[in-house]
């Protein structure tokens, strides 16, 4: 593609909106109506090409989510669907959409209408100015519960402390050019944490701020347990700092053992309060036992990732696609 063709693509790109879905039947009608209205406005104003579309990725939903997607696709509009053979988790479903959906530019976002749709034109403006990746960043978290806000902000800070690169208050609302997407395709990681992985691509990036709204309908599909699991996966996938902490813990334990030995010796020599063998056996045994179990757990987590990665199993299987952009129905 020569320079003139690249400039033309950036001026009038084919846009794809990629939305992973899991049991979203309650919110999907409103989401579809708003996204279709947005695409119609942008097509009319000449911001995007006429064949821009919406790509829902059904991550093994148990409700009527896929039936709704299929019905919208049959109407011949902008909606297309990708159905996974079973539930593979948000990150794998999102990757499937990014790797499957056509388009010059893809924007990933959630289906619950918490992501502000009105910043999409601003994201495209940044793309036209040369950015290959545009991150949507939350400007504030005043609508989150205290626990969720505290956990999220602490996690971003802890992630940075661990030496891994991540954008503060950015989740998975972002724009990626076709060039960035094809580079992402070269990564073959089994344990996905896209918000950190995409930063490894390089290229020119920019950010756009937005205020996250309340969920329109339904309940969150990301309870605390899944949030903690994703957080731990991100840390263990992008930094070996926990392993280095074990070395530090070993040094600290050694120093503590010396101090404890000095204290036990002082009690034995200068007082009559010492119980023979207690201080020198019981305290070090429990302390060292706890440190060893923690160390084994961290080693085991990294070893498990190596084991699972060595099997090279597919991250997802596409069962069905629908919509005119796929040439289906």
């Amino acid at each position: 593609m020569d320079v003139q063709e690249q400039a033309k693509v950036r001026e009038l790109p084919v846009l794809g909106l990629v939305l992973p879905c899991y049991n979203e039947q309650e919110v999907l009608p409103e989401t579809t109506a708003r996204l279709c209205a947005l695409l119609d406005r942008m097509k009319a104003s000449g911001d995007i090409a006429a064949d821009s579309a919406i790509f829902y990725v059904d991550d093994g939903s148990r409700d009527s989510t896929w039936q709704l997607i299929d019905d919208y696709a049959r109407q011949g509009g902008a909606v297309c669907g990708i159905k996974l053979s079973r539930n593979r988790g948000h990150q794998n479903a999102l990757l499937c959409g990014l790797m499957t959906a056509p388009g010059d530019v893809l924007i990933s976002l959630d289906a619950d209408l918490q992501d502000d749709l009105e910043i999409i034109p601003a994201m495209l403006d940044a793309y036209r100015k040369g950015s290959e990746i545009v991150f949507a960043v939350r400007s504030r978290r005043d609508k989150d519960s205290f626990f969720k806000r505290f956990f999220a902000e602490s996690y971003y800070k802890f992630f940075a402390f661990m030496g891994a690169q991540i954008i503060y208050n950015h989740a998975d609302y972002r724009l990626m050019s076709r060039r960035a997407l094809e580079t992402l395709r070269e990564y073959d990681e089994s344990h996905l944490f896209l918000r950190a992985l995409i930063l490894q691509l390089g290229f020119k990036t920019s950010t756009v701020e937005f205020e996250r709204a309340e969920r329109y309908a339904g309940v969150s599909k990301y309870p605390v347990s899944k949030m903690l699991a994703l957080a731990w996966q991100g840390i263990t996938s992008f930094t070996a700092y926990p392993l280095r902490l074990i070395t530090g813990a070993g040094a600290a334990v050694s120093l503590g053992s010396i101090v404890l030995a000095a204290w036990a010796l002082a009690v034995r020599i200068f007082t009559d309060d010492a119980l023979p063998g207690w201080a020198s056996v019981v305290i070090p045994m429990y302390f060292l036992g706890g440190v060893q179990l923690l160390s084994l757990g961290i080693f085991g987590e990294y070893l498990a990732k190596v084991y699972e990665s060595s099997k090279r199993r597919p991250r997802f299987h596409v069962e069905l696609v629908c919509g005119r952009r796929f040439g289906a129905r």
Side-chain angles (χ1 to χ4, degrees), residues 166-221:
I166 195 171
I167 293 181
Y168 189 76
N169 273 342
H170 166 69
D172 289 300
Y173 190 13
R174 70 180 72 87
L175 174 150
M176 297 186 69
S177 69
R178 178 51 54 184
R179 181 185 182 189
L181 290 164
E182 292 306 314
T183 304
L184 178 62
R185 195 184 299 275
E186 298 175 9
Y187 286 74
D188 192 27
E189 301 200 10
S190 300
H191 301 86
L192 287 174
F193 188 64
L194 289 172
R195 64 190 69 176
L197 179 61
I198 288 173
L199 284 172
Q200 306 297 312
L201 305 182
F203 303 123
K204 181 179 179 180
T205 66
S206 57
T207 60
V208 175
E209 290 190 346
F210 76 101
E211 292 187 20
R212 192 167 171 86
E214 297 286 348
R215 184 180 178 86
Y216 179 80
V219 296
S220 174
K221 308 307 184 298

Side-chain angles (χ1 to χ4, degrees), residues 71-129:
D71 290 344
Y72 293 138
R74 288 175 182 271
Q75 296 172 11
V79 176
C80 301
I82 304 167
K83 179 178 174 58
L84 300 188
S85 60
R86 69 178 184 88
N87 179 262
R88 296 295 301 172
H90 178 270
Q91 295 291 282
N92 283 308
L94 176 55
L95 181 69
C96 174
L98 295 176
M99 297 295 98
T100 306
D104 302 315
V105 175
L106 297 184
I107 295 179
S108 60
L109 65 161
D110 292 337
D112 56 15
L113 292 176
Q114 289 189 279
D115 295 329
D116 185 6
L117 305 181
E118 299 306 318
I119 68 166
I120 289 179
M123 297 172 77
L124 284 171
D125 286 340
Y127 165 73
R128 293 190 184 94
K129 293 176 182 178

Side-chain angles (χ1 to χ4, degrees), residues 15-246:
L15 172 64
L17 302 176
V18 177
L19 298 89
C21 302
Y22 179 67
N23 295 342
E24 297 288 4
Q25 65 177 13
E26 295 177 335
V27 73
L28 212 57
E30 182 65 20
T31 301
T32 302
R34 293 191 191 184
L35 291 177
C36 287
L38 174 66
L39 289 184
D40 289 342
R41 292 199 307 269
M42 297 178 69
K43 291 174 184 178
S45 61
D47 292 328
I48 57 176
D51 51 351
S52 299
I54 303 162
F55 298 90
Y56 289 121
V57 184
D58 179 24
D59 186 22
S61 297
R62 299 176 182 177
D63 60 5
S64 300
T65 295
W66 177 251
Q67 186 60 52
L68 286 171
I69 295 171
D70 190 54
D71 290 344
Y72 293 138
R74 288 175 182 271
Q75 296 172 11
V79 176
C80 301
I82 304 167
K83 179 178 174 58
L84 300 188
S85 60
R86 69 178 184 88
N87 179 262
R88 296 295 301 172
H90 178 270
Q91 295 291 282
N92 283 308
L94 176 55
L95 181 69
C96 174
L98 295 176
M99 297 295 98
T100 306
D104 302 315
V105 175
L106 297 184
I107 295 179
S108 60
L109 65 161
D110 292 337
D112 56 15
L113 292 176
Q114 289 189 279
D115 295 329
D116 185 6
L117 305 181
E118 299 306 318
I119 68 166
I120 289 179
M123 297 172 77
L124 284 171
D125 286 340
Y127 165 73
R128 293 190 184 94
K129 293 176 182 178
S131 293
E132 303 290 346
I133 305 171
V134 183
F135 299 101
V137 178
R138 294 181 64 170
S139 57
R140 56 185 182 179
R141 287 184 170 270
D142 55 344
K143 294 182 180 179
D144 288 346
S145 65
F146 172 79
F147 175 79
K148 188 173 183 179
R149 180 169 62 253
F150 175 79
F151 171 79
E153 292 177 348
S154 299
Y155 170 68
Y156 285 110
K157 294 175 181 177
F158 184 67
F159 204 95
F161 170 76
M162 287 289 184
Q165 188 179 11
I166 195 171
I167 293 181
Y168 189 76
N169 273 342
H170 166 69
D172 289 300
Y173 190 13
R174 70 180 72 87
L175 174 150
M176 297 186 69
S177 69
R178 178 51 54 184
R179 181 185 182 189
L181 290 164
E182 292 306 314
T183 304
L184 178 62
R185 195 184 299 275
E186 298 175 9
Y187 286 74
D188 192 27
E189 301 200 10
S190 300
H191 301 86
L192 287 174
F193 188 64
L194 289 172
R195 64 190 69 176
L197 179 61
I198 288 173
L199 284 172
Q200 306 297 312
L201 305 182
F203 303 123
K204 181 179 179 180
T205 66
S206 57
T207 60
V208 175
E209 290 190 346
F210 76 101
E211 292 187 20
R212 192 167 171 86
E214 297 286 348
R215 184 180 178 86
Y216 179 80
V219 296
S220 174
K221 308 307 184 298
Y222 244 77
V224 175
S225 59
K226 287 189 176 181
M227 291 172 59
L228 291 172
L230 180 64
W232 180 244
Q233 178 158 296
I235 290 172
T236 54
S237 295
F238 284 90
T239 176
Y241 196 76
L243 294 175
R244 299 190 184 101
L245 285 178
I246 294 176

